[in-house]
Amino acid sequence: MNKLDAEASWQRAINYLLRHKQDAWWPYKPGQGPSAEATAWAALALSEPTLSDNFSLVSKSYDWLISMQNDDGGWSTSPQAKPSDWTSGPVFLSLRKFAEKSSDKSPMAPHLAKSLRAGKDYLIQHRLEKWTPLGQVVMFLFQGPDYSHYPRGWPWVPASYHWVEPTSYSLMALKPLRLSQSEPLKTVVAEADKYLLEIACVGGGWNYGENIRLDEKLPSYQLDTAEALVAIQNHIDNQKVQSALNILRKLAGISTAPMTLAWSIMARRIFGDVVTEDLKTLLDHQDPDGGFAANIHTTALASLAIATTYGAHPLKYTDHLLDLS
Amino acid sequence: MPPLQDNKHSRRAFLQAAFTAVATSSCTGKKELVITEAQKALRYSGISSLAIVTCKSYDENIFQKIRPFLPQLQLPDLKGKSVVIKPNMVDFRPNKPLTTNPAVIASAVELAAFLGAANIVVADGPALHRDTEFLLSTSGIGAMCKKLSVPFVDLNLDDLEAVENANGFTTLKHFFLPKTVVQADCLISLPKLKTHHWAYLTCSMKNLFGVVPGRKYGWPKNLLHNIGLDKAIVDVVRLAKPSFALVDAIVSMEGEGPLNGTAKDTGYLILGKDVAAVDATAARCMEVDPDKISYLKIAGQVIGNIKPDRINIVGSSLVSVAKSFQMPATYYNAELKGSENSQAT
């Protein structure tokens, strides 16, 4: 397998995404209705490595995503399935990437900036909340404003418990903002990082968000480990990060599930790994029609993963931070 | 609460008592459940017939073992109907019987076809893994579906329909359910018989948590625990409306189920229309009193029969298959359960 094979596979995946676009959005699976998440990842995949190739097509999708934004600033998995939910993280991430690329040479479009500010505020306001409203009053009396500072991430569904994946998506979305260098976002990010590091499995890596349950030390999952690693890639010297990376390395060539492989490749590429085995396995599991697992979301992730093996990495944190002020 | 006095100690005591009141008021209260006539209205009426079918190995012809008992069970006529077979695909751990065996899925497909089904799919929305392809591969269910040329539908990613939770027990006014389930003519619950650390038993009813879609409720579907696990089980069953259940108890799980228990050779299947009766009978086969299982107590009033005098068992006798199960630690000490707010499975 060589670079040409990877590029050919990438092109087939891109063509699959183009074929399955429905006006301005994508479904999770061909023939279904709209998915905000699938649209977000597919639009991002079509923006890599350069936006210009598919600019007008992708712009339409981002306009659709902006039009789907709820009044509270978040997004829901589909237009009919309100209220806002965890989908807000991946959609914000994709919109932010579009803003970075499209406003490289000219000011950010006002409607895009407005949408991103509202989305950022939604994410800040919808993390885990440990205390009831009355409990917050009482805790404030006991501890002052410090009561609200504890390791916490994001839930799947508002006003419920926090878990690894929605936290990972939200961190990937928010960290590359210039605002993350100052309050309040700086503390929001720090608390989420702390949550992820605390909830890492005893044996290394991450699963959905339980490390010990009733005295049982729970095993990690490859997919969740990869997603969490991308989210806290900036803690490269942390022993838990290194341990998780080693887990992904040991699993190279074992998993054949495309979504897991795609995330594993993207995570390992951030840390400079050569991912020949996983990439070969991923390419070997591409469907004849160019898709992966007959799933548009997975195909988008796969195409992003393939692109990281020879080009820029869209999820790698850099010094280039988007200014939303 | 202590009376207010003008000193620091009493003020602290007052605040601590107030905090305790706030903390306990924020917890899900364990009040007596009041069940209305409207909630009882759709309860299975009459005697529930079910079959216990001895089957020692997955290599046996499971459908042929079930077939002689079908006339006595009055399963629905599926002629021309669309059928969804819902197995348990929850997770993968090497050498642990977590999921419905592919051979039982094959027998369910054969049964559905025998009953006249025009269209059959296998479907699940696993609760912990976003990557369903991983579970399809590790469970062997993907390979079986391919072998049988039966499509698999990932219920976690399906299009959604809002289904009103009229007369529900939880606070949810509606659930978003997968279109595949809502529009199916027949839903077959195909659980793996296992102990469960929160519900004590996972069988045909708890199995249906897998129809609640992850694209809305997440991985895990923690909300179903937040709103009260036992009530959520009953609400989901009432909304999903399973037509019948076929329980994989050829190899079951005891101990710290549903993920960390140990395999137990039990050697049977249970087949029946009334999922409350199926689960109650499964509990008795485990030598567990169904009245000690909270969701079953509710189900006995609003879903179907759980009392033995209302359940007609054909096939093997209950006594002939019953084996004492080691239950999870939480069964013996409910305080270990802790808060439902952070529960995952």
Side-chain angles (χ1 to χ4, degrees):
Chain A
M1 188 208 62
N2 55 36
K3 187 178 171 200
L4 284 177
D5 293 332
E7 285 185 0
S9 173
W10 172 84
Q11 190 61 62
R12 288 203 305 276
I14 292 295
N15 291 344
Y16 176 91
L17 293 176
L18 290 169
R19 279 200 310 279
H20 288 290
K21 188 166 181 284
Q22 305 292 315
D23 191 25
W25 50 266
W26 281 268
Y28 272 122
K29 300 251 189 179
Q32 288 184 351
S35 157
E37 189 191 24
T39 301
W41 286 111
L44 179 58
L46 288 169
S47 306
E48 297 291 330
T50 57
L51 179 57
S52 54
D53 292 344
N54 295 302
F55 181 79
S56 68
L57 181 155
V58 157
S59 291
K60 211 172 162 192
S61 295
Y62 283 115
D63 283 342
W64 181 84
L65 281 171
I66 291 170
S67 75
M68 287 298 118
Q69 191 167 23
N70 297 318
D71 292 340
D72 61 6
W75 283 268
S76 30
T77 178
S78 68
Q80 304 85 3
K82 296 187 200 304
S84 301
D85 54 45
W86 62 276
T87 323
S88 306
V91 172
F92 185 93
L93 185 161
S94 187
L95 266 174
R96 174 185 55 72
K97 290 295 301 182
F98 177 64
E100 284 169 14
K101 291 199 164 194
S102 63
S103 46
D104 209 13
K105 294 185 174 73
S106 54
M108 199 186 309
H111 72 298
L112 176 55
K114 184 180 173 192
S115 174
L116 283 169
R117 286 191 200 104
K120 177 259 304 171
D121 289 340
Y122 173 86
L123 288 174
I124 289 175
Q125 288 156 19
H126 288 83
R127 301 179 289 159
L128 166 77
E129 181 53 69
K130 210 157 74 166
W131 308 106
T132 63
L134 194 51
Q136 291 176 51
V137 171
V138 174
M139 289 307 295
F140 183 82
L141 289 173
F142 267 121
Q143 292 183 11
D146 282 345
Y147 87 91
S148 67
H149 296 308
Y150 49 90
R152 53 169 157 162
W154 278 266
W156 289 105
V157 173
S160 60
Y161 200 66
H162 55 185
W163 302 100
V164 165
E165 287 180 282
T167 300
S168 298
Y169 302 144
S170 297
L171 281 175
M172 290 179 215
L174 292 170
K175 275 187 180 176
L177 292 176
R178 191 167 299 284
L179 288 169
S180 70
Q181 308 299 301
S182 54
E183 300 300 351
L185 195 47
K186 189 175 177 187
T187 295
V188 167
V189 163
E191 288 172 359
D193 279 355
K194 208 166 173 212
Y195 158 69
L196 280 184
L197 289 167
E198 281 187 4
I199 206 66
C201 295
V202 173
W206 283 267
N207 56 33
Y208 51 86
E210 273 187 307
N211 49 16
I212 296 178
R213 181 183 56 223
L214 298 170
D215 294 335
E216 180 198 356
K217 294 174 191 148
L218 298 182
S220 61
Y221 295 167
Q222 186 176 359
L223 172 61
D224 304 61
T225 297
E227 289 169 323
L229 271 179
V230 173
I232 57 170
Q233 61 186 266
N234 51 311
H235 293 281
I236 187 170
D237 294 325
N238 187 290
Q239 178 267 325
K240 290 182 180 179
V241 169
Q242 289 299 319
S243 167
L245 188 53
N246 285 333
I247 286 175
L248 291 188
R249 288 168 178 158
K250 280 190 193 136
L251 289 171
I254 295 178
S255 178
T256 58
M259 184 192 295
T260 296
L261 281 167
W263 273 108
S264 202
I265 288 168
M266 287 199 281
R268 291 183 61 200
R269 285 297 300 142
I270 283 171
F271 296 91
D273 277 10
V274 172
V275 292
T276 314
E277 250 184 302
D278 275 344
L279 181 63
K280 183 177 185 311
T281 309
L282 180 64
L283 266 49
D284 285 346
H285 284 80
Q286 187 167 24
D287 299 332
D289 64 359
F292 288 86
N295 182 316
I296 285 147
H297 167 230
T298 303
T299 302
L301 291 172
S303 73
L304 286 167
I306 296 167
T308 67
T309 62
Y310 58 85
H313 197 311
L315 302 182
K316 186 167 182 169
Y317 301 152
T318 66
D319 293 332
H320 179 66
L321 303 173
L322 183 69
D323 199 339
L324 264 193
S325 51
Chain B
M1 286 200 280
L4 278 172
Q5 290 174 10
D6 195 17
N7 64 63
K8 190 177 171 185
H9 177 76
S10 290
R11 193 156 52 239
R12 180 179 296 156
F14 170 75
L15 285 172
Q16 283 177 347
F19 174 69
T20 304
V22 165
T24 52
S25 72
S26 71
C27 292
T28 307
K30 296 285 181 195
K31 298 180 209 156
E32 186 70 31
L33 190 64
V34 175
I35 296 178
T36 66
E37 288 308 310
Q39 287 170 327
K40 293 179 191 174
L42 296 175
R43 187 186 179 283
Y44 191 95
S45 62
I47 302 288
S48 304
S49 288
L50 54 83
I52 297 177
V53 181
T54 306
C55 185
K56 297 296 181 194
S57 160
Y58 292 111
D59 295 331
E60 297 194 56
N61 189 326
I62 297 173
F63 172 68
Q64 291 304 328
K65 299 219 90 171
I66 291 169
R67 189 172 170 176
F69 306 107
L70 295 181
Q72 298 168 78
L73 300 181
Q74 297 178 317
L75 296 182
D77 178 3
L78 299 182
K79 208 164 296 163
K81 301 278 170 74
S82 67
V83 173
V84 172
I85 294 171
K86 196 286 175 198
N88 182 338
M89 268 173 62
V90 63
D91 199 348
F92 169 71
R93 293 210 191 165
N95 304 316
K96 287 209 182 276
L98 301 190
T99 56
T100 309
N101 190 284
V104 178
I105 295 175
S107 70
V109 170
E110 202 171 348
L111 173 59
F114 178 80
L115 294 172
N119 182 35
I120 303 169
V121 302
V122 173
D124 193 12
L128 303 177
H129 286 266
R130 280 210 71 174
D131 194 346
T132 308
E133 293 297 314
F134 167 75
L135 293 175
L136 282 169
S137 169
T138 51
S139 65
I141 292 174
M144 179 56 79
C145 288
K146 222 171 185 171
K147 181 180 170 189
L148 300 173
S149 299
V150 170
F152 177 84
V153 175
D154 185 349
L155 297 178
N156 281 327
L157 303 183
D158 204 7
D159 284 339
L160 304 178
E161 275 194 31
V163 179
E164 193 193 347
N165 190 22
N167 301 310
F169 289 89
T170 66
T171 53
L172 291 190
K173 298 272 183 283
H174 63 267
F175 280 77
F176 289 104
L177 292 182
K179 252 197 175 112
T180 297
V181 168
V182 175
Q183 294 179 2
D185 295 313
C186 168
L187 173 68
I188 303 173
S189 180
L190 215 69
K192 177 65 129 181
L193 180 62
K194 299 185 286 183
T195 54
H196 193 283
H197 43 220
W198 311 135
Y200 302 147
L201 166 68
T202 173
C203 196
S204 64
M205 293 180 61
K206 176 72 170 61
N207 180 46
L208 293 177
F209 267 21
V211 309
V212 177
R215 69 178 290 182
K216 187 62 195 171
Y217 299 103
W219 292 262
K221 301 164 200 189
N222 166 248
L223 181 68
L224 299 181
H225 295 257
N226 278 6
I227 57 178
L229 178 63
D230 300 320
K231 296 178 199 172
I233 291 172
V234 173
D235 276 0
V236 169
V237 169
R238 283 151 54 90
L239 295 177
K241 300 191 183 68
S243 301
F244 61 91
L246 174 62
V247 180
D248 174 6
I250 296 175
V251 176
S252 307
M253 176 180 273
E254 65 175 339
E256 298 302 328
L259 300 180
N260 199 36
T262 48
K264 192 174 186 75
D265 283 326
T266 31
Y268 59 89
L269 307 115
I270 304 176
L271 173 62
K273 284 198 307 189
D274 176 357
V275 291
V278 166
D279 280 17
T281 302
R284 292 190 178 97
C285 290
M286 297 159 68
E287 296 188 359
V288 171
D289 181 358
D291 282 334
K292 291 208 159 74
I293 298 178
S294 299
Y295 84 81
L296 268 180
K297 282 169 64 177
I298 305 173
Q301 298 185 68
V302 301
I303 303 248
N305 293 308
I306 64 169
K307 300 291 181 200
D309 59 345
R310 304 291 297 172
I311 300 172
N312 173 41
I313 298 175
V314 302
S316 299
S317 69
L318 194 151
V319 163
S320 69
V321 301
K323 285 184 180 177
S324 177
F325 269 52
Q326 176 67 30
M327 296 300 283
T330 48
Y331 180 78
Y332 305 106
N333 181 2
E335 283 182 13
L336 291 173
K337 280 189 182 182
S339 165
E340 286 180 318
N341 286 347
S342 57
Q343 288 175 3
T345 54

